[in-house]
Amino acid sequence: MIYLVEHFYSIQGEGRYVGTPSLFFRFGGCNMKCEGFGCSESAPDGVRVVGCDTVYAVNKEHFAKTWIPITKVDELLSVLELYELPFAVDIVLTGGEPLIYANEPLFVAFLEALHARGHQITFETNGSLNVEFEKYPIYKECVYALSVKLANSGEPLAKRVRGDVIFNIASNAKDAFFKFSIDRDSINLALEDEIESICNHAPNTKVYCMPLGGSKAEVEANTEPLIEFCKAKGYNFSDRLHIRIWDENKGV
């Protein structure tokens, strides 16, 4: 079963394609919790759940009742008809972790239909789940924002960093780039070593660093220290434009 949490037409707020008009599909479920990010939200059952800034798309136990079960490809494709879209607008698949559905026939058929219509497809993924590029060639036509989790996520190293997966995705993708979420308190030698170690799994892949935060205030507090870090290391600074503009609002 595939679960759709929300969809919205906005601009890409992060990474290489920041500012690009994009139709977002946010899918439910993830293989990580990332409680170290410290964002929290009240679930419909009243429980306060801690995790990343999209914990409502991660925690199935407390949020699944708000997710939409998808059983047919047309249910996803019909979303495109709800908006006045430019021809072949970019499609961004996010979550949660969208690649938990990578082997679902319905999901593969959805990707093939989008590609046939001329859309660029971008996965926002934590880069820990392998993709069968030979079995499903459509994945070679996609872009991958590899948001590999750092120690500040609270996830164990062996779970969040899988070098073979990172190499496989970066080697087979139409395009791929790293995208790291960083707070000012984490900027130290250990962080530098960790990022370099991760990037060694896919040399020559561009690196974008974003200020950690689920609110405008948090993003702004982490921005200037991160810019200085990017200047020192030669990395690309990526704003989180959607949070800076719309703060904690969803669907933007």
Side-chain angles (χ1 to χ4, degrees), residues 8 16 65 72 87 96-97 101 120 126 137 172 178 182 195 199 218 224 230-231 237 240 244:
F8 52 93
R16 178 174 292 184
K65 289 184 179 179
K72 299 178 181 178
F87 175 72
E97 172 50 60
Y101 301 114
Q120 173 167 290
N126 60 38
N172 287 283
F178 288 111
I182 300 172
I195 291 178
C199 294
E218 291 173 315
E224 287 194 27
C230 290
K231 286 164 61 179
F237 173 81
R240 304 191 77 187
R244 194 178 296 277

Side-chain angles (χ1 to χ4, degrees), residues 115-207:
H115 180 63
R117 296 184 181 195
H119 297 284
Q120 173 167 290
I121 304 167
T122 297
F123 279 97
E124 296 188 339
T125 173
N126 60 38
S128 69
L129 298 177
N130 220 345
V131 178
E132 296 189 56
F133 287 97
E134 297 307 318
K135 184 175 182 180
Y136 305 112
I138 184 60
Y139 286 106
K140 295 183 179 182
E141 304 297 333
C142 300
V143 176
Y144 298 79
L146 295 166
S147 187
V148 180
K149 302 311 172 192
L150 302 170
N152 61 1
S153 68
E155 293 288 345
L157 177 64
K159 183 177 182 180
R160 60 186 171 79
V161 181
R162 295 187 56 195
D164 57 331
V165 174
I166 293 170
F167 177 78
N168 183 46
I169 292 176
S171 300
N172 287 283
K174 175 183 177 182
D175 186 20
F177 56 92
F178 288 111
K179 190 176 68 170
F180 298 107
S181 298
I182 300 172
D183 62 282
R184 57 185 174 180
D185 295 332
S186 297
I187 298 174
N188 52 37
L189 184 59
L191 174 79
E192 295 179 25
D193 291 344
E194 184 177 17
I195 291 178
E196 288 181 7
S197 176
I198 291 170
C199 294
N200 283 339
H201 294 297
N204 303 317
T205 300
K206 289 282 188 179
V207 178

Side-chain angles (χ1 to χ4, degrees), residues 1-4 64 67-71 75:
M1 178 72 71
I2 291 176
Y3 292 97
L4 180 64
W67 299 356
I68 305 166
I70 301 295
T71 59
E75 293 174 330

